Amino acid sequence: MSKLLVPYYEHPAEQPEAWDALIAAAPSLYGVVLNPANGSGSSADAAFAEVADRLRSAGVRVLGYVDTAYGARPPQDVVREAARHRAWYGVHGLFLDQAATSALQLPYYADLRAALAATYDTYVTLVLNHGAVPHPGYARIADLLVTFEGPWSAYPPAGPTGPDTCHLVYGAPPDAVAQAPVHCLVPGQLPHPWGTLPHRLEPVR
């Protein structure tokens, strides 16, 4: 059965009805990406902490957003930010954005996985957002690989779609059908597509 991984980058105080819709859709979700300030931010946000608690109570996997700059960001900075997500929002794992696709960066992400496992007291779900099909070795590091992120006009992508792949598609029409078992197809457009929910989760206004 397909599941939704929803990166929803809006503040709970400004879009409470959308967060309510996400929580109500708990059984259909693979997880929700929490992104308070293009990452964890420098201090805890009470509104995000409250919505994270509601998501967890509903059985939703909560993932903290961390940018890895295609393997160029210092690993200690990634681990430090992951620790803030854990301490402030009780996340179950991480959504590592701008993940590299080349085999050259495999050691960087393997070392990150090990460091994160040592930091958390429970299993860390790791999602790598490559945005394109990466080297096969990444499948041994992450739980889920985002192998496409882009507009509906470029979808579906070339390349294999396995059980641990995810597609993130923006500008999608209401009848859009995903080609990956985990996905998120939203109507929003650049520059801020992830400020909209998938069509079937959009709250009635």
Side-chain angles (χ1 to χ4, degrees):
M1 186 173 109
S2 67
K3 290 277 190 175
L4 295 172
L5 171 65
V6 182
Y8 187 58
Y9 302 159
E10 289 289 337
H11 198 278
E14 296 176 2
Q15 300 290 344
E17 70 287 345
W19 287 96
D20 290 345
L22 270 174
I23 291 161
S28 67
L29 301 179
Y30 176 91
V32 172
V33 182
L34 221 62
N35 188 8
N38 199 29
S40 63
S42 57
S43 60
D45 184 309
F48 273 102
E50 190 267 341
V51 83
D53 183 61
R54 291 176 62 203
L55 287 164
R56 289 194 309 273
S57 296
V60 178
R61 182 188 286 114
V62 182
L63 304 171
Y65 175 98
V66 182
D67 189 348
T68 65
Y70 302 106
R73 189 177 183 192
Q76 63 270 25
D77 290 354
V78 175
V79 173
R80 191 177 300 117
E81 187 166 2
R84 291 197 294 266
H85 272 298
R86 178 66 173 168
W88 297 340
Y89 307 116
V91 300
H92 301 98
L94 299 165
F95 178 88
L96 299 186
D97 199 17
Q98 298 201 105
T101 57
S102 167
L104 295 175
Q105 281 79 34
L106 280 169
Y108 172 92
Y109 289 94
D111 289 348
L112 266 184
R113 165 113 241 179
L116 293 168
T119 301
Y120 281 53
D121 56 359
T122 57
Y123 182 79
V124 182
T125 298
L126 194 62
V127 177
L128 294 180
N129 182 18
H130 305 280
V133 177
H135 184 278
Y138 286 97
R140 297 191 294 272
I141 297 171
D143 298 277
L144 188 68
L145 305 178
V146 179
T147 60
F148 179 86
E149 180 179 2
W152 176 254
S153 59
Y155 194 74
T161 300
D164 302 320
T165 58
C166 173
H167 293 163
L168 302 179
V169 187
Y170 53 83
D175 58 351
V177 176
Q179 303 297 314
V182 181
H183 55 270
C184 189
L185 279 63
V186 301
Q189 301 277 0
L190 292 176
H192 186 43
W194 308 117
T196 56
L197 295 177
H199 287 284
R200 63 189 174 96
L201 297 191
E202 282 288 355
V204 177
R205 301 183 189 279

